[in-house]
């Protein structure tokens, strides 16, 4: 216990919060707002091993960034004014983190929330704190509060409870208890029977608390604003006898109302262990009855039962007011805390627009669904990639021949060797030491009108020509007059006598399985005309996929005319090539890594240098 210590918190107190917990930190900041603080009570957060950064929280209606540090030493160095350490570490690491905090010269008070810390470790913390004139609250505590100024973590409960107990403004009562839960109850009692709490502390229910009931009662004696003391002890241990001794020696002169809970233990035939580790009566002296009798004998006001405690508190308070020794603190309403958006929506206070709209997938249930089809169904019913594409891209199941066609497109377009533009870029990027995603994206960015991206254009052109009943030669010549090449027609390597095997496979599949191939037949007639111009003006894989996809859309009876127009306009079809070619590009990137290929540099003799 810090010698001669009185008030430990104020409206300027700031804390270092150890082991990030969003709700307790936000509740501290909400209490700050209720109290009218201008500076947040949480100076920073320590997350062991963190590289730094910040957490976003609300300070009233304003969003603020609370800095994060990787060590207590760093946090204490950067925030020398923060002299309270709030430790939310688990019992496994609470000793080390609390001791680390006690060793920081700027830290005066350490609140250790965890219960279950080994007793030998607690004793070491207590010994170090006493030797260095520092104060420990806990372990196994909810913390403490100075009304209208500062609170630790979850002390006092919700905002509604803080306001109903009038903790947003100071009262005249110093309160100390072992139990955090009973503290919240007593704050309510004190708000009804007195002008409220000035300071409240829960020392914790472990056998060896870091600070005792008498430590805090003696502190309250040194705080002029506290006019009376209320203490709630419990069965087990000898802590309450320290208060008895202080009363008998005259160190505590202020009126003290006390009650020690656990009187019901006498009703049991055997020894009873209550909720707290220290709440067990081993001998008569540790019983609630013995402690209450000793307190009453030493001058404390001790009621006959817990049910009479509020009346005893009120009688003591009223007596002080009548004698002029206590002037009730003014009461005033707490400011209204702005509601979080989520809370306000639940209460129907606001209507907030969503920022993202999704109609293809829902991940809010026990398992995600693809347009209403669960993951389990996908696996149990042996769905394939084509079925997944149909659900996520087209928002409906498609016939087997359609999903098989899409899978064929993915398989046949997955790769076309290392020399094409996309693969070349991916290889060069991978050899430059870039990661897989960067290498993949480098290749994907080459997809466009000249490489792999002609499917959409071909589909638009073939669709328009068929709808207008254009003859193939009129279609080709019309594009020529516009200075445009025929999309889906032409290949740098393949020709009339060296057909692209992929095109042949897709063509045969469509003619065999599709209900109708009107657009494919039209594209083949266009090819007949273009081959009269040059042998390499054959239908390429882009054109074949485009024509067959149009036949799929029209022939499957799954789409309306308006939906087909949208699909072609939006650019669905290039998605098939992008999806397929990603497989090959990933393969090329991994292949270069596996082969440990070094940085690529293009040879001079393959460059025409000109002016």
């Amino acid at each position: 216990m810090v010698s001669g210590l009185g008030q430990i918190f104020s409206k300027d107190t700031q804390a270092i919060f150890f082991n990030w917990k969003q709700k307790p930190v936000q509740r501290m900041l909400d209490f700050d707002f209720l109290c009218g603080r201008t500076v947040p009570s949480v100076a920073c957060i320590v997350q062991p091993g963190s590289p730094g950064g910040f957490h976003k929280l609300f300070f009233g209606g304003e969003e603020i960034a609370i800095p994060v540090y990787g060590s207590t030493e760093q946090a204490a160095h950067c925030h020398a004014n923060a002299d309270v350490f709030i430790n939310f570490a688990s019992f496994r690491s609470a000793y080390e983190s609390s001791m680390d905090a006690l060793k920081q010269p700027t830290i005066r008070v350490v609140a250790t929330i965890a219960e279950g810390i080994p007793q030998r470790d607690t004793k070491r913390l207590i010994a170090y704190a006493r030797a260095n004139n520092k104060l420990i609250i806990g372990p196994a505590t909810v913390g403490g509060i100075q009304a209208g100024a500062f609170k630790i973590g979850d002390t006092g409960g919700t905002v509604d409870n803080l306001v109903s107990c009038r903790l947003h403004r100071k009262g005249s009562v110093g309160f100390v208890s072992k139990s955090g839960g009973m503290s919240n109850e007593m704050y309510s009692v004190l708000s009804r029977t007195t002008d409220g709490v000035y300071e409240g502390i829960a020392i914790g229910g472990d056998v060896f608390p870091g600070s005792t009931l008498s430590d805090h009662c003696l502190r309250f004696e040194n705080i002029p604003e506290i006019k009376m003391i209320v203490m709630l002890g419990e069965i087990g241990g000898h802590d309450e006898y320290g208060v008895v001794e202080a009363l008998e020696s005259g160190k505590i002169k202020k009126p003290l109302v006390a009650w020690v809970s656990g009187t019901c233990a006498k009703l049991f035939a055997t020894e009873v262990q209550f909720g707290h580790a220290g709440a067990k009566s081993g001998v008569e002296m540790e019983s609630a009855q013995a402690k209450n009798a000793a307190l009453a004998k030493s001058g404390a006001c001790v009621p006959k039962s817990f049910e009479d405690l509020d009346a005893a508190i009120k009688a003591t308070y009223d007596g002080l007011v009548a004698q002029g020794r206590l002037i009730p603190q003014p009461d005033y309403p707490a400011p209204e805390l702005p509601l979080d958006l989520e809370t306000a929506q639940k209460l129907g206070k606001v209507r907030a627009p969503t920022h993202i709209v999704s109609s293809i997938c829902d991940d809010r249930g026990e398992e995600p669904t693809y347009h209403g089809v669960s993951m389990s169904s996908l696996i149990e019913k042996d769905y394939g990639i084509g079925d997944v594409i149909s659900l996520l891209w087209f928002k409906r199941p498609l016939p087997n021949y359609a999903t098989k066609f899409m899978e064929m497109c993915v398989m046949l377009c997955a790769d076309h060797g290392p020399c094409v533009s996309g693969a070349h870029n991916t290889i060069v990027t991978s050899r430059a030491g870039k990661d897989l995603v960067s290498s993949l994206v480098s290749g994907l960015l080459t997809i466009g009108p000249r490489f792999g991206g002609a499917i959409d254009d071909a589909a638009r052109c073939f669709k328009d020509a068929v709808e207008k009943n254009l003859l193939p030669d009129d279609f080709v010549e019309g594009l020529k007059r516009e200075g445009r090449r025929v999309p889906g027609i032409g290949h740098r390597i393949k020709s009339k006598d060296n057909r692209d095997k992929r095109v042949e496979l897709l063509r045969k599949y469509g003619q065999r399985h599709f209900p109708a191939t009107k657009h494919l037949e039209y594209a083949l007639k266009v090819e007949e005309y273009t081959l009269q111009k040059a042998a390499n003006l054959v239908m390429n894989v882009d054109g074949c996929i485009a024509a067959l996809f149009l036949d799929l859309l029209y022939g499957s009876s799954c789409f309306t005319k308006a939906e087909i127009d949208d699909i072609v306009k939006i650019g669905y079809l290039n998605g098939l090539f992008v999806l397929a070619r990603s497989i090959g590009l990933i393969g090329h990137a991994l292949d270069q890594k596996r082969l440990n290929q070094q940085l690529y540099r293009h040879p001079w003799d393959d460059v025409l240098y000109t002016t």
Side-chain angles (χ1 to χ4, degrees), residues 437-448:
V437 174
S438 299
S439 302
L440 169 63
V441 171
S442 175
L444 290 176
L445 289 175
T446 63
I447 295 175

Side-chain angles (χ1 to χ4, degrees), residues 59 62 120 126 225 227 242 253-254 270 277 285 290 304 307 334 344 394-395 417 435 461 471 476 484 542 567 603:
F59 186 56
E62 177 187 359
R120 66 179 181 277
I126 294 170
E225 291 88 348
K227 305 301 182 182
K253 299 181 178 65
K254 294 177 181 179
T270 58
M285 186 180 181
K304 292 182 179 180
E307 287 75 14
F394 301 103
K395 297 175 57 177
D435 60 274
C461 288
L471 294 173
V476 174
R484 297 170 59 192
D542 291 351
I567 288 170

Side-chain angles (χ1 to χ4, degrees), residues 176-407:
V176 62
S177 168
K178 287 188 176 180
S179 169
M182 286 304 298
S183 293
N184 285 351
E185 176 64 26
M186 288 303 299
Y187 295 147
S188 177
V189 170
L190 292 169
S191 72
R192 298 193 307 269
T193 57
T194 71
D195 64 352
V197 171
Y198 183 85
E199 184 186 313
I201 298 290
I203 66 169
D206 277 2
V207 177
F208 298 102
S211 52
T212 65
L213 296 171
S214 60
D215 287 337
H216 293 286
C217 286
L218 290 169
R219 273 202 315 106
F220 295 159
E221 187 69 26
N222 294 331
I223 301 175
E225 291 88 348
I226 292 178
K227 305 301 182 182
M228 63 177 286
I229 302 169
V230 176
M231 184 190 81
L232 190 64
E234 65 184 23
I235 187 175
H238 301 85
D239 201 2
E240 291 79 2
Y241 289 104
V243 178
V244 170
E245 181 182 339
L247 285 166
E248 291 176 342
S249 64
K251 293 180 180 178
I252 297 177
K253 299 181 178 65
K254 294 177 181 179
L256 187 148
V257 181
W259 177 255
V260 179
S261 60
T263 55
C264 64
K266 292 283 189 180
L267 300 176
F268 296 94
T270 58
E271 183 178 88
V272 178
Q273 170 72 63
F274 288 84
H276 292 151
K280 180 173 68 173
S281 177
V283 295
E284 175 61 24
M285 186 180 181
E286 296 181 350
S287 69
Q289 285 84 351
K291 292 181 179 182
N292 281 324
L295 285 163
K297 184 179 179 181
S298 65
C301 174
V302 180
K304 292 182 179 180
S305 67
F306 179 77
E307 287 75 14
D308 298 322
L309 181 59
D310 57 345
I313 294 170
K314 180 171 174 53
T316 302
Y317 174 80
D318 289 345
L320 290 172
V321 174
Q323 297 166 23
R325 296 167 57 190
L326 188 156
I327 300 174
Q329 293 294 321
D331 201 6
Y332 52 85
E336 187 172 349
L337 183 71
L339 292 175
D340 291 338
L341 180 60
E342 182 180 355
T343 303
Q345 284 180 294
K346 289 180 179 178
L347 294 173
K349 300 286 188 180
V350 296
R351 296 180 300 184
T354 55
H355 295 91
I356 293 178
V357 180
S358 176
S359 64
I360 63 171
C361 182
D362 192 336
D363 59 345
R364 294 171 296 179
E366 293 185 5
E367 58 178 323
T369 59
Y370 293 167
H371 196 60
V373 180
S374 68
M375 298 288 102
S376 300
S377 296
L378 291 174
I379 302 303
E380 292 166 0
K381 295 181 180 179
D382 201 26
Y383 280 52
I385 292 297
D387 297 293
V388 172
I389 294 173
S390 71
L391 293 171
L392 291 179
W393 292 14
F394 301 103
K395 297 175 57 177
R396 70 204 70 192
L398 294 177
N400 288 337
Y401 73 84
T403 59
K404 173 64 176 175
F405 168 72
M406 289 189 287
E407 290 175 1

